[in-house]
Amino acid sequence: MALRDAVLATLLEGDASGYDLAKAFDRSVASFWMATPQQVYRELDRMVDEGLIDCRVVQQDRRPNKRVFSLTEAGHDALRAFTAEPARTSAMRDDLMVKVQAVDDGDIEAVRGWVAQRLALAEEKVASWERLRVRILRGRDEDEFFDTAERVGPYLTLTRGIAYERENIAWAQLAIRVLERRRRLRDTSADDAAPAFGGTREHQR
């Protein structure tokens, strides 16, 4: 998948300015496709040149004019073609996982801190996405939503993101418990091996 496809999918939500699109992009597809606002803006310009989206300038009082983007028929065609292509399996590249892999010969306390940061981030994402899920459902249960909603794709990807981050939370909590236990065991072993105050082990015999 290219960034272009993710932007096209986000524009299915409706016309949007570059700023609004970057915010919507962060809410809707950030769980499975990361991009900075600058990357999104550059991609929008390329997509206009390719005829995949239209751009119109909206006059604003007391604020700079803004560009609003919308899907063209060519953009819809590109999305249909993309959904028909085989999905590629993604490969995980996670710096934290390498640190955890090497923790037995590394700095346990530092790695524990990085895992704790990952835990906090995952909890923040789940809380934010759960609020979004409530807004999408608007008081409906899932069965009613699936039967009556105009689009179900954004909800399905949202629930996938929530499930992924919940698994991250469970893993991080386990990792923190294990690392704390290993650190205590290491400290206890170090204390047992240290000579008593005032002399060496040889002197105490």
Side-chain angles (χ1 to χ4, degrees), residues 144-196:
E144 182 182 1
F145 172 79
F146 292 144
D147 289 342
T148 60
E150 180 180 354
R151 299 181 62 225
V152 299
Y155 184 82
L156 292 175
T157 54
L158 176 65
T159 56
R160 178 66 186 93
I162 291 173
Y164 175 75
E165 293 300 342
R166 286 195 184 282
E167 194 281 328
N168 279 338
I169 290 171
W171 172 83
Q173 290 171 337
L174 170 63
I176 288 172
R177 289 197 303 270
V178 171
L179 294 178
E180 287 177 344
R181 179 174 181 145
R182 297 284 291 188
R183 182 193 60 190
R184 288 195 299 269
L185 289 171
R186 180 198 62 188
D187 292 345
T188 300
S189 298
D191 290 341
D192 291 343

Side-chain angles (χ1 to χ4, degrees), residues 91-192:
M92 176 184 287
R93 293 184 179 179
D94 192 330
D95 182 67
L96 178 58
M97 293 301 101
V98 180
K99 294 180 186 297
V100 173
Q101 177 78 5
V103 72
D104 300 291
D105 197 41
D107 187 329
I108 291 180
E109 191 59 31
V111 174
R112 182 204 169 282
W114 303 132
V115 174
Q117 285 187 11
R118 179 68 58 87
L119 172 61
L121 179 60
E123 290 175 333
E124 180 183 332
K125 287 182 178 180
V126 167
S128 175
W129 291 344
E130 283 289 3
R131 290 192 294 269
L132 178 58
R133 189 175 77 89
V134 169
R135 290 198 298 271
I136 292 175
L137 290 176
R138 291 185 297 181
R140 296 168 288 184
D141 61 30
E142 283 192 336
D143 288 339
E144 182 182 1
F145 172 79
F146 292 144
D147 289 342
T148 60
E150 180 180 354
R151 299 181 62 225
V152 299
Y155 184 82
L156 292 175
T157 54
L158 176 65
T159 56
R160 178 66 186 93
I162 291 173
Y164 175 75
E165 293 300 342
R166 286 195 184 282
E167 194 281 328
N168 279 338
I169 290 171
W171 172 83
Q173 290 171 337
L174 170 63
I176 288 172
R177 289 197 303 270
V178 171
L179 294 178
E180 287 177 344
R181 179 174 181 145
R182 297 284 291 188
R183 182 193 60 190
R184 288 195 299 269
L185 289 171
R186 180 198 62 188
D187 292 345
T188 300
S189 298
D191 290 341
D192 291 343

Side-chain angles (χ1 to χ4, degrees), residues 26 33 50 142:
D26 185 57
W33 190 267
E50 295 173 11
E142 283 192 336

Side-chain angles (χ1 to χ4, degrees), residues 18-112:
Y19 174 77
D20 292 334
L21 183 60
K23 288 174 57 181
F25 189 92
D26 185 57
R27 291 193 306 268
S28 59
V29 301
S31 61
F32 52 89
W33 190 267
M34 300 298 295
T36 66
Q38 291 75 21
Q39 289 173 317
V40 173
Y41 298 147
R42 288 195 297 269
E43 191 64 28
L44 286 169
D45 289 333
R46 285 192 288 265
M47 292 165 67
V48 169
D49 293 339
E50 295 173 11
L52 298 173
I53 58 177
D54 277 332
C55 175
R56 69 180 189 277
V57 177
V58 175
Q59 305 287 332
Q60 297 189 110
D61 294 334
R62 300 196 182 116
R63 288 191 297 174
N65 297 336
K66 66 178 180 180
R67 298 191 302 165
V68 175
F69 302 91
S70 59
L71 281 174
T72 64
E73 190 57 39
H76 284 285
D77 289 342
L79 265 180
R80 283 189 286 269
F82 168 70
T83 58
E85 297 173 357
R88 292 193 295 249
T89 302
S90 59
M92 176 184 287
R93 293 184 179 179
D94 192 330
D95 182 67
L96 178 58
M97 293 301 101
V98 180
K99 294 180 186 297
V100 173
Q101 177 78 5
V103 72
D104 300 291
D105 197 41
D107 187 329
I108 291 180
E109 191 59 31
V111 174
R112 182 204 169 282

